[in-house]
Amino acid sequence: MSDLELQAELGLGARRQGATRRPRRIAVAEGLAGAVALFLVLSAVMPQLVAPGDPLAIDPLQAFQPPSLPHWFGTDESGRDLYTRVVHGTGNSLLIGVLATTIGLGLGVLLGTLAGMLGGFVDFTVNRVLEVLFAFPGLLLALLVILIYGPGVATATIAVGLSTAPGYARIIRAQLVQVRSSAFVEAATVQGLTPRRILARHILPNTLAPLLVLATLGVGQAIVWATALSYLGLGAQPPAAEWGAMLSAGRTYITSAWWMSFFPGLFIVLTAVTATTLGRAIERRMRHA
Amino acid sequence: MSAHPVTPAAGPAGPPALRVRNLSVGFGRSGADPVVSGISFEVAAGECLAIVGESGSGKSVTARTLLGLAGADARVQADEMSIAGASVLALSEASWRRRRGRDVGLVLQDALSSLDPLRPVGREIADSLRLHTTLAPAERSSRVLELLDSVGLPDGELRSRQRSGELSGGQRQRALIASAIALDPPLLIADEPTTALDVTVQAQILELLERIKRRGTALILISHDLAVVSRIADRVAVMSNGRIVETGPTHEVLGRPRHAETRAMVAAVPAGKPRGTLLAAPRAAGPAAPATAAAAAAAAAASAATSAATATPRPARAAAPDIGPAIVLEATGLTKGFRMPGGTRLLAVDDVSFRLERGTTLGIVGESGSGKTTTARLVLALSAPDHGEVRVLGRPWSSVSEQDRRPLRTSVGAIYQDALGSFDPRLSVRDILRHAVALDGPRRPDTGRPALFGAHNGEAQARVAELLDRVRLSPALLDRRPLELSGGQRQRVGIARALASRPQILVCDEPVSALDVGVQAQVLDLLDELQRELALSLLFISHDLGVVQHVSDRVAVMNEGRIVEQADAPSFFASPTHPYTRRLLSAVPRLP
Amino acid sequence: MAEPVRRTPALRRLAARLGGAVFVLWAVATLTFFAVRLIPGDPAEAILGGPGSQASAEALASVRAEYGLDQPILVQYLAQLGRLAGGDLGRSYALKLDVGPLVLSQLGGTLVLAGLALALAWLIALALATWSTRGGRIAARVGSGLEIVAASLPHFWLATALIVLFSIWLGVLPPISTPGPAGLVLPVLTLALPLAGFLGQIIREPLLTALESPFVLSALARGESARGVRWNHAIRHAAIPAISLSGWAFGSLISGAVVVETVFARPGLGRTLLNAVTVRDVPVVIGVVMVVAVAYILMTLLTDAATRIADPRTRAR
Amino acid sequence: GCTAEPDAPATGKPVVGGTLTYASGDAEPDCLDPHVGGNYPQALTGTQFLESLVSRDTTGTIIPWLASEWSESDDGLAWEFTLRDDVYFSDGSPFDAAAVQANIAHLQDPATGSSTGYLALQKVTGTEAVSATVVRLTLAEPDSALLESLSQPWLAMESPEGLARGMEENCAAPVGTGPFVIKDWVKQDAITFVRNDTYDSPPADAGHEGPAYLEKIVWRFIPESASRYAALQAGEVDVIDNAQPDTIVQADKGDSIQHLDAPRPGAANRIELNSGTGPFTDPKVREAFIRSANVDDGVASLFQGTAKRSSSALSSAEALGVSRPKLFEYDPKAAGKLLDSAGWSETDADGYRTRDGKRLTVRFPVSTNQSIPAEQSLFEQIQATAKETGFDVKITPMDLSSWYGALGSGDYDAVSAPYTKVGPDVLRILYHSDGITPAPSGYFANHAQVNDPTLDELLTEAGRESDAGKRKALYTEAQDRILEGFYVLPLYDQQNHYLLGADVEGARALPTVSTPTFYDAWLSR
Ligand SMILES: Nc1ncnc2c1ncn2[C@@H]1O[C@H](COP(=O)(O)OP(=O)(O)OP(=O)(O)O)[C@@H](O)[C@H]1O
Ligand SMILES: Nc1ncnc2c1ncn2[C@@H]1O[C@H](COP(=O)(O)OP(=O)(O)OP(=O)(O)O)[C@@H](O)[C@H]1O
Ligand SMILES: [Mg+2]
Ligand SMILES: [Mg+2]
Ligand code: NI
């Protein structure tokens, strides 16, 4: 597959000629996503405000309570309030998502920029490296990282970040190559701009702007990824209130206490959906801007 | 304004092939203005009705409506709409489907993309047969071959297996026509069938349409190119703003246009208008009032011109300032080859030499793929020639490094066919011009580079305003981005940007071929005016001979990478020597 | 304008492909070899049954000698490469089996799982995309909403939900993999749904674009039905980008298989890998990685071929 | 319902034939020969096709199996076993004295890499075939645990011809005398056992004679507990092990699933406190930790009545176990005082005790392979309650190798490790100071690093004592020393719950190490 296709597939940089279908107003879905995002960010930054309880406080006699007024999301096997835990887990989960995406993007930008800008041998080499990385399924890469550095939030974050990097790198490289050969860059040359100025003023801004969109899309996926690692016992460690860990703990009791896995799962899906929706909205706006 | 019903001047008895009375089409909310409002016309068998009009006047919408394809959100109303005497106003989707292709064929405006790029064209053509006949596959294929042959595509065996991407524009257009006439529909609608083609191919298509008409098919030809229309249409209906404003036999409407709209259109056709003639009517000259004396004079002359619909000479050119050499641009023996995937080499430019004198225009014509753009890129030093050399203002240009070239870059400006693509999509018009102005502005003492952000100062702003004024753009557009501008406005911003560095040479690669005649006229006028005032030298590349004839002092014809003929414009058009040139010139349709 | 079709000589292209494949395999082997060296723990111990066994110093030494673990790392690396070149994946530390046959025996199950999931994902994505682009605005919203949600579902959560729904509540499908086709349904669904959401998102845009394109209008003008337009023209355009992403999707399916095979107790590469990783069975890890890399390369070849068939324009490149 | 009590006679007439599917949540063994290594998963599978010299009944009495009788010499340094003369291995070779010799030699051969069996035979110095059916073992010193040791599946008898095939082949399909024979082992998927049609050597407490009823056992590995239970519910499998507390409760409520509760013998599940280094070198701190942990409520809520709180170092399956509930009562106040007196009197901002500016941290590596989820939750609860007293318990879940690594390097203050062995001799393995020195691989069993000469003496003495009364007294005293020294925090018996489909009849757990046997089992469908 050519890089341009890859990028077109991901709906990036696609500036359809004459596309004047401007989104007229904020769609209902986008509004909802915005509200959920606000709630999530608030939960991450000031969990005490959203759920005043202690996420680690146990109460064995209150274990396995189904959702009720005092316990909106029910309680877990140690009688901890699941609503409190889910809210307090937001920060952790979002942090994993954001950090992993940052790592993946950072590495992707580095590799992609190297390949896209220097071209020639560097491009060739980086492309081969990416090909190799692609041949490692993501989870495998993550498993290796975790094997070497031991399980935990930090490792899981790094692992997820690493395994998403090749995808980002390819997109960035494709974007760069496209921008570099675009007519407006040639026009700038004809105007007499120096290469460095062309890079700073035209190429980089036009390459990196779409990354914002990628990032929002990536955060959701990274959280889902990290959950899979938690499920395999390689992610966040108890009793930390991390969604993936909670979900995987809840799975054990799925037949008797559905709420233990339902609510953390709901929040994971909600976050991923919110991030994706917002990312798409931003993308649409940028494309029509 | 009242509707002008169009009735056939003469025709065989029986119901006309198509009759439309008081047709209106609107989109979206019911309160919105209709896009087509109350038009009426009819066409008889063997007759050709041309619908002309500026871009956006509703021509294509009308065509689609005649096949019930106006769109899901379209509101179609009419007193009558009948094909071969049968009303098609309230047809179900299924009955429409039975008629489309059989009773009426449509050749879409976007000829180049109207065939599925993933399917062999033979299949596309056979589809009409598959949908409406019970022919066996083998019979269909043989019919496809016949059709291809009848539209002038020999080698049908091979062609029918090719996909549209593997065909040239003209071939595609013919294949598309073949698919539309597969069932010999009594009515054929052809929407801009020649717009995207170069003259030679255009001539072939027109011939084909004429043949179809002679066979007794009723033909509706939609075009904004009056020259094309004049060649084939029996009657003309002029659309403006969704209405038919004028109608009548072709020679009458084009020869003695009554409506202002029609007169402006006729005037905007550059072909045959001598150099220095104003093309655009003043109302199209942009929102800003002419600021310079010359412009005012031009405007006055223009109104005179339109009233008479004849060529009016404009003020004489400014005397060329007496600085530097008289030959501003010189190309000698330029050669550029490309390696093809198979390992072969394609000589896109082959031993091309020319000289551009100060204050004059050298036009380069040639059909598609003849190497015009490649030549322009060599001149702009966007790619390096394999052999040969380009000199600018007498100094070496193509043979030096980009760094050494940079100081001279300000002397060479460029205007591109795809104006939109040549702008950074993130920048507003203000930023684009400001950056351009800064390059020409004072240089930083330490680095010798332009003091970029000095562009915020008053002087820079004044220059931006001056540039805008020059290209007659309203300052209100300053904060828009290129995507939010019309084609003509974009092209003007492009020109303003090119002028910012006070260039002496302007390289224009197809600067108007994406524009419709009206806008094209404005841009050509503007270039002409700028040349007069600033003594610009223009390298003007186009495949439109009419345009080139209008703007050039000297003309070069390219064919397969070579310049086959080069001469002063008047003698060139009067007495072409090279056979290729003669063929080219004879293919150009002209207004009567 | 007409671009003449140029074809690269098939042989040369094949050679380039092969060269690329060999490079990727070599790099994957090298990377894995050195990465597993970084894993803490003594391989000799792993061979002797893990650190829980009370292996004596002599036993450790003899195992090191037997497996060449006392050699300098470069020698071990070269030996490993030599073995790999000869198609020998070595011997499992823990299972005391030859890795080649072991991995091959597990490969079938995973390939069936991933292949079916890929096919099902395609089916769902196409069905959803065509359904939701035919209906009005609401259908389109619902369709793209479903796709986003499906793409965000963690595999193991989905697996659990499916088990609860189909095995425990409805009692129609076995919750673990069984020899018959019934046992495949839930694992395949689990892998396919998120992928379908992903593919659907990719298909939707080009499908809409294609449906608005002039060639569709011209087909309609020929008398083609809405359905005919969709299936004869639009789908193919919409599918091209997704086809070329299928190679990548296959890789992600292998990742998913680790989870799905664990949940549904299916034998397969994923489970083998996870087990091998937890007991530090280095040869098996390398073996699985190599096999997956080969499968990925083949899959990429396949998707490239599929793209060529679906989109003749790419043949010119 | 809880119908399948271990020795409840099956109702109705047994049906011959049928395939029973067993779903194991334990790891798939690398080697099916339990001599090699010797872990519980091997015991589970081994029980189906291997047999031991002796067995044990539910009262803890050793009963005949492949050996019909035995005798100990007066000095306790020699044992003679009389073997059944009508038993053949499934490869057709006879089971005789030479076979026993070969097995013991195999277990003691370092190349075999036996761990459990090797330890159990530590005192055995020689074997001698007195006749074809009488074998004599000579010991370096008296071993009161010898019979118990020999009853374990890890010391089961395998065909000498089978052993001679070499480790690799033998691991794939060891040959025994048991009621079933390995037909086929598809790695990562299932082992298939088929009936041994010539079988007739059940242990003395079996329900019938002759071949087993079942035609075939399919032994699957389903690591996911939820999947396992769902499969049982759906009827895809007939028996599951490692059942989750909540599913056991559910099963007990309904009629469609039977429950077989068979706690493992040997040590109880417990947290061992490292008295060798770190804060727990101080007995007061150990006691404070134990007092600060609210185990009762946790066990009650997490296990929902399926497990009882233990206050003994030994499993309740061990007749000689001693319980001291008073020592392990939750008493945070007392814990606080103890910490004060031990010098951990300051409290930092986070509420943790400090001494000389150092936080009272308890490093607690947890092996995810060995601790079921409920147990890990219990640790979290202990962590939470201990925090109230001021302990900063750092739970670190690890995979098995890392966990062994952490133990080997002494990087732990508390640890929980199961240990299954028949008889109280397990105490010697776990708490004798010999167990502090790690093997070359880093493995050692005395995680609490108890180094008490008096205790050492008691344990050694008890291991030699063959008089039941004296032996009991010695073990009681030893256990008191261990419990009163606050080296361990007992939690509950090692859980071993099997759930069976309603149509599985006659299955029971062998009272040795509580592995299930399907010799008497049949399917009533
Ligand atoms: N589906 C639609 N929905 C809304 N507006 C439409 C639609 N199709 C066309 N229009 C509008 O109708 C007007 C007439 O369009 P039409 O395509 O008929 O112009 P035209 O005369 O063919 O112009 P051109 O010469 O550029 O092809 C334009 O303003 C266009 O924006
Ligand atoms: N970068 C390139 N690589 C390979 N071939 C090229 C390249 N650029 C141009 N060509 C080929 O060179 C020939 C001349 O192209 P060029 O763009 O100069 O034609 P043109 O006269 O501008 O045609 P048009 O009127 O269609 O714009 C064509 O056959 C084209 O395919
Ligand atoms: Mg049109
Ligand atoms: Mg060109
Ligand atoms: Ni009028």
Side-chain angles (χ1 to χ4, degrees), chain A residues 207-229:
Chain A
T207 308
L208 300 184
L211 289 188
L212 181 67
V213 180
L214 267 188
T216 50
L217 296 178
V219 168
Q221 285 309 307
I223 291 177
V224 172
W225 261 101
T227 330
L229 292 179

Side-chain angles (χ1 to χ4, degrees), chain A residues 20-200:
Chain A
T20 45
R21 277 184 299 166
R22 216 171 220 283
R24 287 157 307 162
R25 62 205 150 85
I26 298 174
V28 184
E30 286 167 21
L32 269 177
V36 174
L38 210 70
F39 174 79
L40 289 175
V41 169
L42 198 68
S43 300
V45 180
M46 285 181 291
Q48 287 303 332
L49 215 70
V50 187
D54 176 359
L56 300 182
I58 61 159
D59 185 356
L61 302 179
Q62 287 289 311
F64 298 116
Q65 296 293 314
S68 63
L69 265 185
H71 301 291
W72 294 354
F73 292 178
T75 62
D76 70 3
E77 79 278 7
S78 295
R80 294 175 290 217
D81 180 53
L82 275 174
Y83 170 71
T84 314
R85 278 176 75 71
V86 166
V87 166
H88 284 255
T90 313
N92 229 330
S93 295
L94 282 190
L95 195 69
I96 292 179
V98 170
L99 275 185
T101 309
T102 312
I103 293 173
L105 263 180
L107 219 78
V109 168
L110 189 76
L111 286 175
T113 316
L114 274 179
M117 286 314 299
L118 298 182
F121 178 70
V122 178
D123 187 17
F124 180 83
T125 316
V126 172
N127 266 326
R128 295 289 84 70
V129 169
L130 293 182
E131 217 163 89
V132 171
L133 288 180
F134 264 115
F136 274 91
L139 194 66
L140 213 145
L141 210 64
L143 281 179
L144 280 179
V145 174
I146 287 168
L147 264 188
I148 296 170
Y149 297 106
V153 179
T155 333
T157 308
I158 293 172
V160 172
L162 275 185
S163 50
T164 50
Y168 289 130
R170 279 183 75 157
I171 293 167
I172 288 159
R173 179 186 163 277
Q175 181 81 7
L176 253 177
V177 166
Q178 193 203 9
V179 170
R180 217 162 48 125
S181 61
S182 69
F184 65 82
V185 168
E186 285 196 343
T189 311
V190 168
Q191 275 182 283
L193 260 74
T194 56
R196 209 178 320 154
R197 184 146 289 152
I198 292 177
L199 182 67

